[in-house]
Amino acid sequence: YTAFNGVDFEGTFHVNTVMDDDYAGFIFGYQDSSSFYVVMWKQMEQTYWQANPFRAVAEPGIQLKAVKSSTGPGEQLRNALWHTGDTASQVRLLWKDPRNVGWKDKTSYRWFLQHRPQVGYIRVRFYEGPELVADSNVVLDTTMRGGRLGVFCFSQENIIWANLRYRCNDTIPEDYETQRLQRA
Ligand SMILES: *[C@@H]1O[C@H](CO)[C@@H](O)[C@H](O)[C@H]1NC(C)=O
């Protein structure tokens, strides 16, 4: 329930079944069910089974999305969350892991998120054991100016989230300045 400004958020997720291939992940910057960031990872490519209100295609690979939904929970937001891409008035895809590989069954992944909403800095890393398997590098977005933390599931059973840890942290990481200068 606590809303955060700058925060470091880490945790582990593990899909403890060979059944299904859907989305697992986590949420941050949660203001309400229409406004939040989500980091979500699908195992396999799949077109959503409800083609209304629009066709939605999920790609494997980790995605960072800014959800700012004009409708709130419902069919529009459902398909927009499933879809790997932008959906007007619902979701913006801020980053997608270019490796485009899905999570493995019965495998633990640990994430490290840094969010500094005062400057719009977001960076997320995923580890499988000691190995870094994905890194968003610096993503700049100010859609949500902080908010609550949580976990995320879309249609996947038997997800275990473990060792969730968070810490207030308003220190701007060093790579923010280099990124900002490169873009200027
Ligand atoms: C706070 O964030 C900075 C920049 O990312 C990092 O260097 C530092 O270790 C963090 N502090 C703590 C206590 O984790």
Side-chain angles (χ1 to χ4, degrees):
Y1 283 99
T2 309
F4 292 87
N5 197 339
V7 70
D8 293 334
F9 179 32
E10 54 183 286
T12 300
F13 86 89
H14 180 106
V15 179
N16 197 30
T17 176
V18 296
M19 295 294 292
D20 227 341
D21 57 11
D22 290 331
Y23 276 116
F26 63 92
I27 275 178
F28 64 102
Y30 181 95
Q31 312 251 334
D32 57 49
S33 54
S34 302
S35 306
F36 54 91
Y37 292 108
V38 57
V39 176
M40 53 198 292
W41 194 358
K42 190 149 180 351
Q43 188 180 44
M44 302 270 275
E45 181 177 330
Q46 188 180 358
T47 301
Y48 195 61
W49 50 93
Q50 300 275 2
N52 281 313
F54 56 89
R55 184 170 180 268
V57 180
E59 289 179 33
I62 303 164
Q63 301 155 46
L64 166 62
K65 290 170 174 163
V67 175
K68 192 83 192 167
S69 169
S70 60
T71 56
E75 295 175 351
Q76 293 274 354
L77 180 53
R78 176 194 66 194
N79 284 35
L81 278 170
W82 185 270
H83 188 63
T84 304
D86 294 346
T87 302
S89 308
Q90 298 290 342
V91 166
R92 228 151 28 86
L93 180 65
L94 300 177
W95 171 76
K96 178 171 171 291
D97 182 3
R99 295 179 316 143
N100 213 32
V101 298
W103 47 261
K104 293 183 255 178
D105 297 332
K106 303 197 174 199
T107 301
S108 293
Y109 296 95
R110 186 140 188 96
W111 76 80
F112 290 87
L113 169 81
Q114 297 161 285
H115 187 210
R116 303 291 181 271
Q118 64 272 42
V119 295
Y121 175 102
I122 301 169
R123 184 169 183 177
V124 62
R125 296 172 171 89
F126 276 82
Y127 289 84
E128 181 182 339
E131 192 196 345
L132 178 70
V133 293
D135 184 349
S136 71
N137 292 299
V138 183
V139 175
L140 298 177
D141 184 83
T142 53
T143 309
M144 266 64 66
R145 292 292 194 173
R148 287 149 64 177
L149 306 174
V151 297
F152 179 84
C153 162
F154 190 164
S155 186
Q156 179 58 50
E157 64 185 29
N158 262 300
I159 307 169
I160 299 170
W161 291 272
N163 292 319
L164 305 179
R165 288 176 51 181
Y166 52 82
R167 204 189 323 236
C168 295
N169 190 338
D170 286 317
T171 304
I172 306 300
E174 280 173 13
D175 55 1
Y176 169 70
E177 216 28 57
T178 27
Q179 181 74 8
R180 205 179 58 82
L181 290 171
Q182 277 169 10
R183 295 198 176 190

